[in-house]
Amino acid sequence: MVDKQVLETAKEHFGKVLEGQLERVENLKAEGDWTDYGAISPVVIGVLGGDGIGPTITEEAKNVLEYLLREQVDSGKVEFRTIDGLTIENRAEKLQAIPDDVLEEIRKCHVTLKGPTHTPEKGDGWPNIESANVAMRKALDLFANVRPVRIPKEKIDWIIFRENTEDMYAVGSQGINVTPDLAMDFRVITSQGSRRILQLAFDHARRTGKTKVTVVTKANVVKTTDGKFLDIAREVAEDYPDITWDGWYIDIMTAKLLDLERRHEFQVIALPNLYGDILSDEAGQIQGGVGTAGSANIGKQYGMFEAIHGSAPRMVREGRDIYADPSSVMRAGAMMLEHIGYSDLGSRLHKALDVCGQYERKVVMTGRSTGATGREFGEYVMATVQEADLESRWEQYSLT
């Protein structure tokens, strides 16, 4: 027999979760316009080191960005700010995913470059606070997680548009142990949230000359929430008759990214949050490891750019943090340059990373003392960015 008090407690808990999400939907309906970075001076770039290997790899990315933007900094068009306090120690002490004073400083920046942060898991000794990434995405409404994967020699040029503020992660810390035997979490998909990420994906395809968008769900089983995402995709696609689209299920999609005969056919990929997290990590590994992959978290007002991997506490415990690969945060920095209007500089950094990480590989990262340090690789990228013949070298390599 069902314990009525247990049932009422669960209903009350779910009601509070539901109330918060209904309020969020109303806020989505009233969201404003996109930031025009060309009209802002200075554009303020916040730099957050994060946890574990974060400060080490973020410093290398910052060095390259400061070099590329030196003229803009000197003329007052761009300003860098270091923001401290987004550490697991400070977050745990204040029992906040992002301490209020840190969030206030982040809001003063137009974009941020962020190192990885530690997310507590059950049994690891830290309090059950929400992921700093998830909290920042919600606080700043960074609804689009954009992750490019480029392997020119294999004709792979994917860009993944992962919805960032909904799905399992939106209320991942608000689940309930109904009884000692029954645990439940919640999943959130809205029409507004689905539409804007899908429109961004189709817009990108049209703007960059892509011809195909692939929408990934598990709508054959998860019929209500994934079904809504797929229904909205059908509606959005009607506004883009010049772009073809197809739907894939997440399980077979993870397999097809490993299909050497077909994977180059994918171009733009759009999907809900959890599937996007899984698929983009797989894609990053195909590129050369998640340590090579950066991402953009984009909203209409703010942008946050970061690595796709975690803080690697094991590397720190073993004294290997100096061997952490900074490529991921540098890739994120290149995306940031493109986002704030410096596409040429962003392209130059992308190409330098291609040359250093995929083609020449004169400095090889292994994550251990058998390879280079992050500082040595950072110096390699810096020297490559400065070379006058970078464009021609990249073109020569990409054709072979």
Side-chain angles (χ1 to χ4, degrees):
M1 181 178 294
V2 176
D3 185 324
K4 291 185 178 180
Q5 182 56 50
V6 168
L7 190 59
E8 289 303 317
T9 300
K11 286 180 178 179
E12 181 181 358
H13 181 91
F14 178 66
K16 291 179 180 178
V17 174
L18 184 60
E19 183 178 351
Q21 291 305 308
L22 288 170
E23 181 179 347
R24 176 176 171 273
V25 168
E26 294 305 311
N27 291 336
L28 286 175
K29 292 178 181 178
E31 65 181 357
D33 296 326
W34 288 90
T35 295
D36 179 3
Y37 291 97
I40 298 172
S41 186
V43 173
V44 180
I45 301 171
V47 181
L48 302 109
D51 297 314
I53 63 172
T56 301
I57 60 177
T58 304
E59 182 65 22
E60 297 305 321
K62 180 187 175 187
N63 290 341
V64 175
L65 290 174
E66 286 180 330
Y67 169 77
L68 289 169
L69 289 169
R70 63 196 184 282
E71 294 181 6
Q72 289 76 16
V73 171
D74 289 344
S75 65
K77 293 181 179 180
V78 171
E79 176 185 336
F80 284 89
R81 292 183 188 173
T82 298
I83 302 174
D84 297 317
L86 196 67
T87 62
I88 184 58
E89 293 82 5
N90 191 38
R91 289 180 281 137
E93 179 184 346
K94 297 181 179 177
L95 291 179
Q96 292 180 295
I98 307 174
D100 291 337
D101 57 333
V102 177
L103 183 58
E104 182 180 352
E105 292 304 311
I106 291 171
R107 290 187 185 277
K108 294 177 183 177
C109 303
H110 300 103
V111 293
T112 52
L113 183 73
K114 176 186 159 297
T117 48
H118 178 69
T119 301
E121 62 181 35
K122 189 174 179 63
D124 73 355
W126 295 107
N128 181 28
I129 53 176
E130 186 178 38
S131 158
N133 281 3
V134 172
M136 192 178 300
R137 291 163 186 167
K138 289 194 288 190
L140 305 181
D141 197 25
L142 305 176
F143 68 86
N145 185 244
V146 185
R147 298 183 175 184
V149 173
R150 294 152 39 108
I151 313 176
K153 61 185 177 182
E154 296 185 24
K155 298 181 180 179
I156 289 176
D157 186 9
W158 303 326
I159 186 155
I160 299 171
F161 284 81
R162 165 193 171 195
E163 203 291 320
N164 222 7
T165 58
E166 301 192 344
D167 201 3
M168 296 293 293
Y169 293 6
V171 285
S173 61
Q174 299 177 47
I176 180 174
N177 286 296
V178 181
T179 72
D181 300 312
L182 176 61
M184 295 192 69
D185 280 310
F186 306 107
R187 189 169 196 248
V188 175
I189 298 288
T190 68
S191 298
Q192 291 78 14
S194 301
R195 189 177 306 279
R196 62 183 184 177
I197 188 67
L198 288 160
Q199 286 177 333
L200 201 64
F202 276 87
D203 281 344
H204 177 85
R206 176 178 284 173
R207 186 175 66 254
T208 58
K210 305 292 186 183
T211 59
K212 182 181 177 183
V213 173
T214 298
V215 178
V216 182
T217 67
K218 190 62 177 172
N220 59 330
V221 175
V222 188
K223 296 181 184 296
T224 302
T225 48
D226 275 8
K228 176 176 283 295
F229 194 88
L230 195 56
D231 284 342
I232 298 298
R234 294 187 182 100
E235 294 177 10
V236 170
E238 292 179 0
D239 296 329
Y240 298 85
D242 52 321
I243 305 295
T244 61
W245 79 282
D246 58 1
W248 286 72
Y249 298 138
I250 181 60
D251 46 356
I252 190 62
M253 188 68 185
T254 59
K256 282 301 172 184
L257 289 194
L258 301 178
D259 185 339
L260 299 180
E261 298 298 321
R262 295 197 59 187
R263 63 186 186 181
H264 68 276
E265 297 174 4
F266 297 111
Q267 298 179 18
V268 179
I269 303 169
L271 62 180
N273 203 339
L274 177 60
Y275 305 151
D277 193 7
I278 295 167
L279 200 75
S280 56
D281 276 6
E282 182 191 20
Q285 185 65 33
I286 292 168
Q287 180 175 260
V290 294
T292 68
S295 68
N297 299 269
I298 296 172
K300 290 192 172 182
Q301 187 174 0
Y302 298 100
M304 183 263 283
F305 300 81
E306 62 176 349
I308 75 168
H309 57 74
S311 58
R314 181 182 301 173
M315 291 188 72
V316 178
R317 288 196 302 269
E318 296 175 357
R320 294 189 290 115
D321 49 315
I322 64 170
Y323 299 106
D325 190 343
S327 299
S328 54
V329 187
M330 290 182 175
R331 285 283 184 192
M335 298 175 73
M336 185 194 71
L337 290 170
E338 294 169 334
H339 184 68
I340 63 175
Y342 298 104
S343 296
D344 291 346
L345 296 179
S347 176
R348 188 167 185 81
L349 181 50
H350 276 307
K351 290 175 179 177
L353 288 165
D354 288 345
V355 168
C356 295
Q358 295 189 37
Y359 299 137
E360 288 184 350
R361 304 192 75 219
K362 293 180 179 178
V363 175
V364 178
M365 304 289 302
T366 66
R368 298 180 180 276
S369 58
T370 54
T373 65
R375 173 56 52 86
E376 289 169 337
F377 186 81
E379 291 173 348
Y380 178 32
V381 174
M382 179 76 82
T384 304
V385 160
Q386 296 176 20
E387 291 179 0
D389 65 341
L390 172 59
E391 293 285 336
S392 59
R393 286 169 59 204
W394 181 87
E395 290 178 3
Q396 178 183 358
Y397 284 125
S398 65
L399 292 174
T400 59

